Amino acid sequence: MNKIKKGDEVVIIAGRDKGKRGTVTNVLEKGAKLLIDGINTVKKHVKANPNAGDRGGIVIKTLPIQGSNVMLYNPATQKGSRVGIRVLDDGRKVRYFKSTDEVVDVDA
């Protein structure tokens, strides 16, 4: 079970976007890299290709960020928090915030 999943709100803790929050749009390489909406964007110069219908120009592209540089956002404390995995009595695996000891996946 990955500690960060698609759709989670995360806080960036290292790099040029440190302190920003965003939503995870894609998880790559089993959680090692994450695509986060509006984070780690670069401008890429694209050459036009009339056969494919591409106009070309400058395109803003989102690049993956290392999973160790993000923390799951805890709405109760309004900060990033470390996440652990716990097995409930009925056998389900759930994620929980280590700072407040509350479960993240209520409907899991």
Side-chain angles (χ1 to χ4, degrees):
M1 173 178 245
N2 289 335
K3 292 185 179 180
I4 297 179
K5 297 180 179 180
K6 182 178 178 179
D8 286 343
E9 190 169 2
V10 293
V11 178
I12 310 303
I13 59 172
R16 69 172 181 215
D17 293 322
K18 182 177 179 177
K20 292 184 182 177
R21 282 192 327 199
T23 305
V24 177
T25 56
N26 201 354
V27 178
L28 308 170
E29 301 173 18
K30 296 181 182 175
K33 294 191 181 256
L34 307 167
L35 280 175
I36 302 170
D37 192 31
I39 304 294
N40 200 22
T41 57
V42 294
K43 290 185 177 182
K44 180 175 173 69
H45 292 70
V46 178
K47 188 174 181 180
N49 185 355
N51 295 332
D54 295 335
R55 288 190 59 193
I58 301 172
V59 177
I60 296 175
K61 184 177 180 181
T62 303
L63 295 180
I65 189 169
Q66 192 69 29
S68 63
N69 293 336
V70 301
M71 283 182 126
L72 195 61
Y73 179 72
N74 189 348
T77 60
Q78 309 241 325
K79 292 192 263 184
S81 181
R82 290 189 296 164
V83 178
I85 297 172
R86 174 184 296 158
V87 179
L88 297 178
D89 295 333
D90 59 357
R92 290 185 300 157
K93 282 186 177 180
V94 293
R95 299 179 298 164
Y96 71 98
F97 292 116
K98 289 191 172 186
S99 58
T100 59
D101 206 43
E102 67 181 50
V103 176
V104 178
D105 302 322
V106 179
D107 58 280

